Amino acid sequence: MPRSAGAACRLWPAPHTSERHLPPAHPPSSFVADRLARRRLGVASVVFFVVAAAAPLTVIAGAAVTAVAVTEITAVPVGYLVVAIGLAVFAVGYVAMSRHVVNAGAFYSYVSHGLGRTFGVSAAAVALVAYNAMQVGLYGAFGYVGSLVLGAFGVTVAWWPCALVGWAIVAILGLLDVSLNGRVLATMLAAEVLIVLIYDAAMITHPAGGALRFDTLQPDQLLTPDIAAVMVVSVAGFVGFEATVVFSEEARDPRRTVARATYIAIAVIGLLYGLSAWALSVATGPEHLVARAKSEGPDLMFNLVLPYVGQSLVDLGKLLFLTSLFAALLVFHHTVARYSYALGRERVLPAAFGRVVRRTGAPKVGSLAQSILALGVIGTYAVAGWHPMENMFALLTTTGGLGVLILMAATSVSVIGFFSRDPRGESIWHRLIAPVAASLFLGGLTIDTIIHFGSLLAPASSQWVWGFPIAYGIAMLGGLVWAFIVRRWHADIYARIGLGVEEPPGSPKPPEPSRHHAVI
């Protein structure tokens, strides 16, 4: 920021001892020197970003089969469909709030507006841990699958050189024009979805026993005592769809683009997952699905379609498995960079994080910082000799999914708080009924996930894995402490938390929690 911007724009201005001197709720735009690239993304581009983050081929070939093997429950197809409905209900309030709050900070901003700035900073800490865990954990799978693909061509290489190649490409693309990244993801995603649909058609048209069976889609499957574990795994498959809001500042029309992209992404992901998981059960026969999932793992889908599509399409599918992981890596990198940018812009993080690449509008410091962190983790795992799938991919991505689940539950409650002060023309369905239902659904899943966290990581389960859920408690507490410090010593910065660059006309100021309320 130019020196002429004055003392009000310094990273750490003179401390204020009283909040009577808070600045106006709508700060001047000069408070922020750099802005993200504006009006670059349409509905299709945002959908490509968030569906690519969900990594359909990775989830279907990997997570869905693993869920069946670990839980020994065949209800995964109906689980995906039910979760899609639940997340669509969550999206009602989420999208309603996006019409009034446009901020790349997404969960951080929404919690700030709905529950207060202090809790908003706590949510920001959780978001940084969660999305970094998701992104970095994916490098383990990318490196492992990359080494297998090269091995098929007679080239023997360890997982970590493959991971480093992916890391270098992501680091470069993270600094380029977001619309260019959208085109890259569109190409990868189109090929990925097409091959999945071809595989689905092959499995459905060649059912085990010669007859289509719908056992795994029956609603009574939901009455299974251990269905909660399936639901938790199913939710993890959708992680990434909520990032529509992260790209709102770069959307051509934030009010419409975010809403349409969110609903389209949930529908596409839910239907694709449900169809594909059901197709797997059709090809194996429901009674044999668990046994084959246990014995064949991620190769199950490829083995089932090989007799009908040929080796070439199977090899292509395995290659697209790799690009699916890369696409998810790229999207989560962008998500972390934009969270860091939003926090740096409002001085919750150092101001440098609020800088962008002048030519492309991409978050500069946030992108570089994420790349450095990922490089450090890859190097650590490589030197320590830890398994990239069990100790890196499974552990870190499951941990990241837990964090996103916590944030979605908190955001549902925040939507209720936001509209309780001013309905802003939203119907009672958008501002109360749907958010309450989503809060109960996501809150219950969050509690169940924490209780069964160890069992969700069967290969890597040991006492020390509980350190990862505990890390969220530490992150929450650290965010609360930091918010109190900023509130006490940097009141002008505290007043801007969650506001972003420009507030839509009439947007309310984030609520100020009472000094007498206990923090829990």
Side-chain angles (χ1 to χ4, degrees), residues 243-280:
T244 50
V245 173
V246 174
F247 298 98
S248 61
E249 293 184 28
E250 296 156 280
R252 291 179 188 144
D253 183 353
R255 294 175 65 90
R256 292 183 175 86
T257 299
V258 170
R260 293 173 182 172
T262 302
Y263 287 123
I264 291 172
I266 293 173
V268 169
I269 296 170
L271 291 174
L272 188 62
Y273 287 177
L275 173 67
S276 301
W278 171 66
L280 286 170

Side-chain angles (χ1 to χ4, degrees), residues 35-201:
R35 297 186 180 186
L36 296 170
R38 297 305 177 93
R39 302 186 181 277
R40 299 285 180 90
L41 302 176
V43 174
S45 295
V46 177
V47 170
F48 289 141
F49 268 100
V50 298
V51 176
L57 186 54
T58 300
V59 170
I60 295 163
V65 174
T66 301
V68 171
V70 172
T71 65
E72 298 186 352
I73 298 174
T74 62
V76 171
V78 71
Y80 280 127
L81 295 176
V82 169
V83 166
I85 294 171
L87 294 182
V89 173
F90 161 78
V92 171
Y94 191 60
V95 164
M97 199 162 177
S98 76
R99 290 192 279 268
H100 308 286
V101 179
V102 178
N103 192 318
F107 290 138
Y108 149 70
S109 178
Y110 285 12
V111 174
S112 295
H113 279 271
L115 299 180
R117 300 182 185 94
T118 302
F119 290 103
V121 175
S122 184
V126 172
L128 288 176
V129 174
Y131 285 113
N132 270 300
M134 288 292 297
Q135 203 274 349
V136 174
L138 284 166
Y139 278 115
F142 181 85
Y144 182 78
V145 174
S147 67
L148 293 180
V149 170
L150 290 176
F153 292 97
V155 179
T156 302
V157 63
W159 71 270
W160 58 266
C162 298
L164 288 177
V165 171
W167 170 85
I169 299 173
V170 168
I172 293 170
L173 287 175
L175 297 172
L176 299 181
D177 190 332
V178 68
S179 59
L180 170 63
N181 284 261
R183 291 190 290 272
V184 171
L185 291 171
T187 303
M188 291 182 175
L189 184 61
E192 182 182 347
V193 171
L194 178 60
I195 200 71
V196 168
L197 292 176
I198 292 173
Y199 286 180
D200 288 349

